[in-house]
Amino acid sequence: MDIKNNTASAAHTQDNSSSQADTKIAIIGLGYVGLPLARLFATKFPVVGFDINQPRVDALQAGHDDTLEVEDDLLQAVIKTQNPVKGACTELDRSESEHSRSENGLFCTTNLKDLEACNYYIITVPTPVDKNNSPVLVPLQKASETVGKVLKKGDIVIYESTVYPGATEEECIPILEQASGLVFNQDFYVGYSPERINPGDKEHTVEKILKVTSGSTPEIGEKVNDLYKAVITAGTHLAPTIKVAEAAKVIENSQRDINIAFVNELAKIFNILDIDTQAVLEAAGTKWNFLPFKPGLVGGHCIGVDPYYLAQKAQERGYHPEIILAGRRMNDSMGQYVASEVIKLMLKNDIKIKNANILVLGITFKENCPDVRNTKVVDVIKHLEEYETNLTIYDPWANPQEVKHEYGVTSHVTLSPSTSLRAGSVGSHHKYDAIVLTVAHQQFLELDLDQLKADKAVVYDVKGVLGNKAEAKL
C-alpha cells in the first residue's frame, strides 16, 4: 500500500491532536543536528536530549551551545532544570508529580533512565566514513542499542542519520529487537526522516527546511509525518517507504558533490588555459537554467561523505558507480591541487620554499561556522608541510583543542606575533611569504593583508572573495 501525503480528514486531525498531547520525545545525540531539532520540538512537546558527552550536556543545561547553531536566548527559553517528561526515573519525581502532566521544554542528560518515559526516540548521531572512505555505522549501532534498552510496546524510533538505502531495516532494527526483546512492527515501530541541517546557516534553520518523512507502516508514516508537521513550518513530504527516504537523502548531496566536481575540473582546465574561471561561470550563469556552482574544497559531514554510502551499497550489489566515484576523486584531489598551485605561485615570485612562512586563513569546512568535521583544509596543510614550510593556521571560529584532537594541527583564534612558527616580526604582526585564504570567514574579508605580507609575498584565494588582493585564485 502506497502512503500518500493527502490532506488529513477532520477525524484524523482530532485523533492526531489527542495523540500528540501524550507525545514525549527523546533526542539521541545533541550535536549539529540533534540540538536544533530538540530545541524546536521543545517549544511544543516535552523533550529529553541524550548525549554521552557530559561537558556538552553541562554546557547545554547552562544555556550555551558551543556549536553556535542555537542562539543562547532560544536555548535558555526551553531548557528545564528537571526532566519535563513525567513518569520518569526517580521516586521523588513520582511522589511530587504523580498526577501532573508533562510540560513542554528540553532537559539534557547523560542518564539513560531519563529516557524511560518517552514514546518517540529520534536518533541523530553522526555517520562518518573511515580513512578508506568506508561507511562507519558504529555510532548508529550503539545509539540503536541504547534506545533498545528503554524501548517499550507502542514506542516509535525515528532515524535522522544519513545512511545507505536499506540500512535502517538491515542494520538498526535487528539491534532494536535484540536489545529490547520486542518485535518490530508488532511491539514497536520505526520511521526515517533524514536531517537537512546546514551548519552556520541562520536563514535556512531546521523549521524552515521541508522535511522528508517515512514510516515502517502506512499508519506509522502518518504519525511520523504529523509529528514533524507540528513544528516544521516549511512543510513535510511523506515518502512511501523508509528506503525511498534514505535514498533521497544520499542523492541530494551526491548531486551537489558531482556538480561541484564538474566546476572543480573546469577550474583546472581554465587555469591551464589562463582563463578566469569565475568570469566564465558568471557569463554562463546568465542563461536561465545554468546551475550556479563554484569550485572549492568539499568537506563537511554531508557532501564529502554521503556519496560513499550510496557507492558502497551499489558495489555490494555488484554495480560499480562511475560518475559518483569520479566526482569524489576529483573533489578529494583539490587539497593537493591548491597546495601545488600555491607552491608554483611562490616559485614564480622567486620565493624560497623550504622554511617559507605561510599563513593559512581558516580550517573549518565552511565560512562563519565552527564546524571542523571532515574539513579538507587539512589536505592543503598536509601537502604544504611536505615542502618543509612553516605554517601558521589562523581561524577565529575553530576550537584549537578540537582541531588538535581531530587532526593533530595547531590552530590559533587570534593573529599576533606569538602565533608565528618563525621569528622575524615587523610591527605588530609577522610577515608571511604566502597567504592562503581557504575559508571565507567575514573576519578575513576585513583583514589588511598588506601588513601581513613579506617582500615578494603572494596571496592565493581558494574562495574567490578577495578580488585584486590576491595574485591567484582557484
Side-chain angles (χ1 to χ4, degrees), residues 45-103:
F45 304 103
V47 179
V48 180
F50 178 84
D51 201 288
I52 60 174
N53 186 337
Q54 187 66 58
R56 170 70 170 164
V57 167
D58 292 342
L60 295 177
Q61 279 298 108
H64 177 66
D65 170 25
D66 292 334
T67 70
L68 306 182
E69 287 302 298
V70 177
E71 297 174 0
D72 287 355
D73 58 337
L74 293 178
L75 180 59
Q76 292 164 11
V78 297
I79 281 291
K80 299 293 183 182
T81 57
Q82 293 184 337
N83 194 337
V85 175
K86 303 308 177 186
C89 55
T90 68
E91 291 300 327
L92 179 63
D93 287 340
R94 292 190 183 102
S95 63
E96 291 184 351
S97 310
E98 185 176 355
H99 302 293
S100 65
R101 297 182 61 182
S102 299
E103 57 180 326

Side-chain angles (χ1 to χ4, degrees), residues 353-360 384-385 387-392 420-423 432-434:
I353 303 301
K354 187 174 182 179
N355 291 323
N357 202 19
I358 300 177
L359 174 64
V360 177
L384 287 176
E385 286 177 336
Y387 293 93
E388 299 184 38
T389 58
N390 297 316
L391 298 181
T392 300
S420 178
L421 299 182
R422 191 167 66 126
Y432 297 93
D433 300 305

